[in-house]
Amino acid sequence: MKTPIIRVLLAFGNGMPDDTLITFARSVHTLLYGAAGFTNIPVTAVILEAAIDAFATAKAAQASGGKAATAEKNNRRSELVALLKQLAFYVQVASNNDLAMLLSSGFEAVSTNRAQVPLAKPSVLRVVTGMSGEALVTLSAEKASRGSEVRVAEVDASGTPGPYRPVVSRTSSRNIPITELVPGQLYAYQGRNFGGATTYSDWSDVIIQRAA
């Protein structure tokens, strides 16, 4: 059987909300330039960071700037997306059909597996700080899953989680954004995958971490 070609998912190009695009781009900026095996990257970290900051600034100014500010925001978004596409095609070639290497860049892969098999209980692999009041949660993934969900709850002084907030769903198990966190507050994180024959996996073990 011919091995399928692993391709970079270009979902950031169209339809991705502005704030999600900023979070995604910052994740690529954080992960790609420190990942093993990627050399001679065609867009420097400085250029990508400048494009992210320019788009974020234009996005913030849009609320009170009228049509001109909206046009400026759209221009800065187009510039950022163009850089991300350039990086995505580079990563696809450089990773040489190695899924783990591709994912280490911060980009996602197009799924090539739709098998309906039971989903195992995932693990929370990491919780890292994103923008202010934001955490990015990464779960262990399975080829049969079609997406992931994360939920979060405040933890009281006794170490007991309170009520969980509504889940946050994404088509990827990587860098799922949890927002509106209070710095210094302890939070409990859990995740699960969905798809496959069991529809949902069991919830992962709880990970408790203080918001930065």
Side-chain angles (χ1 to χ4, degrees):
M1 182 181 295
K2 185 177 179 179
T3 302
I5 297 174
I6 299 173
R7 301 185 184 280
V8 173
L9 182 65
L10 301 178
F12 56 84
N14 295 302
M16 180 176 282
D18 290 341
D19 290 338
T20 305
L21 177 60
I22 292 169
T23 296
F24 172 77
R26 291 198 189 284
S27 176
V28 170
H29 181 271
T30 298
L31 296 173
L32 174 59
Y33 297 96
F38 295 112
T39 58
N40 299 318
I41 300 173
V43 177
T44 68
V46 172
I47 290 174
L48 180 60
E49 183 175 24
I52 296 169
D53 290 344
F55 176 46
T57 299
K59 168 66 177 173
Q62 180 191 16
S64 58
K67 292 182 179 180
T70 298
E72 173 70 8
K73 186 270 293 186
N74 290 340
N75 287 338
R76 300 292 81 77
R77 178 186 172 104
S78 296
E79 290 172 358
L80 176 58
V81 168
L83 292 176
L84 289 171
K85 284 184 177 180
Q86 188 176 353
L87 289 170
F89 291 127
Y90 160 78
V91 166
Q92 184 168 299
V93 173
S95 59
N96 195 28
N97 232 35
D98 183 329
L99 179 60
M101 183 176 176
L102 187 156
L103 295 176
S104 73
S105 70
F107 285 98
E108 301 173 11
V110 176
S111 175
T112 60
N113 192 321
R114 292 293 183 266
Q116 295 292 295
V117 297
L119 297 176
K121 175 181 173 180
S123 300
V124 176
L125 298 181
R126 65 175 181 268
V127 180
V128 299
T129 301
M131 293 185 287
S132 178
E134 180 186 64
L136 304 176
V137 182
T138 295
L139 307 178
S140 57
E142 292 187 59
K143 290 183 177 180
S145 69
R146 297 189 179 183
S148 301
E149 294 183 340
V150 170
R151 63 183 184 180
V152 63
E154 291 189 5
V155 176
D156 63 22
S158 68
T160 303
Y164 281 95
R165 298 181 187 178
V167 300
V168 176
S169 298
R170 290 291 186 273
T171 56
S172 170
S173 65
R174 296 170 58 83
N175 298 318
I176 300 172
I178 304 297
T179 59
E180 299 182 9
L181 303 179
V182 178
Q185 171 67 45
L186 282 174
Y187 289 93
Y189 299 88
Q190 272 191 310
R192 66 180 180 181
N193 294 321
F194 58 84
T198 53
T199 306
Y200 289 96
S201 70
D202 290 335
W203 286 103
S204 69
D205 292 336
V206 173
I207 296 295
I208 295 178
Q209 186 167 306
R210 194 176 303 278

